[in-house]
Amino acid sequence: MDQLATVALDLAAIAVLAFAVYYPRHRRRDLAVAFVGVNVGVLAVSMVLAGTTVGAGLGLGLFGVLSIIRLRSREIEQSEMSYYFAALAIGLISGLGTGVTWLSLGLVALVVGAIAVVDSPALLRRSREQQLVLDRAYTDETEARAAVERLLGTSVHRLSVRSIDLVSDTTVVDIRYSAPRPGSVPARHHETIGTLQSQETSR
């Protein structure tokens, strides 16, 4: 009965993590299924290892080996990797335990709850990260930052120049910024309106 309760706890936790938290936010069916598969596999192996005298050591070794495996179907974002590690952790907590205890129940709930909170769309929802190709070779980072801020209509928190191509006259930059608030008009749009108004006045 203890093993059935352990399996039930694990399946309930991974179902919530994969299909109630991850999939509605990221909409990747392949990874949702992969998280469940990895979790159930780790649970099965760790339950077998728990019956041996070296179960804990092998469990930690298993976690270390699996943590370096990359799912290669498509590119995985760092936020999605956190779900992968959470699936591993839930499987190990459930499988290496002696049954469903308050400790295991609390740890599983902590893992699922932490991921649900930190990956919430409401948390840092205006934070953005992008790589841009500018149609000019900027050798001065300050000028590149000013050009990006004019383009986006908001201030840039961090800008890193990745490459400058003087032949094709382009600059590749990685930027971190906050998206403009809903309803606000980007600075570039203001400049366009000002230009149109000045043209109409001159006529």
Side-chain angles (χ1 to χ4, degrees):
M1 289 299 294
D2 287 341
Q3 289 185 336
L4 289 178
T6 297
V7 172
L9 171 64
D10 179 80
L11 292 179
I14 193 61
V16 171
L17 182 70
F19 298 109
V21 178
Y22 172 77
Y23 185 75
R25 296 175 180 178
H26 298 270
R27 294 293 175 180
R28 286 191 59 176
R29 178 183 177 277
D30 58 336
L31 282 185
V33 173
F35 296 148
V36 175
V38 167
N39 171 266
V40 173
V42 170
L43 173 69
V45 173
S46 58
M47 289 182 71
V48 173
L49 294 179
T52 66
T53 56
V54 291
L58 287 178
L60 293 176
L62 177 66
F63 182 85
V65 171
L66 292 176
S67 66
I68 64 175
I69 297 176
R70 293 185 62 90
L71 306 178
R72 298 181 180 274
S73 58
R74 277 187 288 171
E75 182 180 354
I76 301 177
E77 298 180 358
Q78 295 300 318
S79 61
E80 293 174 326
M81 288 298 296
S82 64
Y83 287 90
Y84 176 62
F85 289 120
L88 291 177
I90 292 172
L92 288 175
I93 292 171
S94 301
L96 293 177
T98 56
V100 178
T101 63
W102 286 110
L103 178 60
S104 63
L105 186 62
L107 289 175
V108 168
L110 176 63
V111 171
V112 176
I115 295 296
V117 171
V118 298
D119 193 44
S120 172
L123 184 66
L124 302 175
R125 59 185 176 184
R126 295 175 55 230
S127 178
R128 299 289 187 275
E129 172 185 346
Q130 286 188 6
Q131 183 175 91
L132 298 179
V133 180
L134 305 178
D135 58 353
R136 177 182 165 187
Y138 290 95
T139 56
D140 188 337
E141 186 174 307
T142 302
E143 292 183 3
R145 178 186 294 271
V148 171
E149 289 180 345
R150 287 195 303 270
L151 177 66
L152 299 177
T154 186
S155 59
V156 174
H157 303 311
R158 184 174 182 271
L159 181 143
S160 299
V161 177
R162 293 303 180 189
S163 65
I164 301 175
D165 192 331
L166 298 177
V167 176
S168 60
D169 197 25
T170 58
T171 305
V172 179
V173 295
D174 285 337
I175 59 171
R176 312 287 189 273
Y177 68 100
S178 294
R181 296 184 182 278
S184 63
V185 181
R188 189 177 185 183
H189 185 58
H190 280 300
E191 293 176 1
T192 303
I193 294 175
T195 302
L196 292 175
Q197 289 177 343
S198 63
Q199 290 177 349
E200 290 176 357
T201 303
S202 62
R203 292 176 184 176

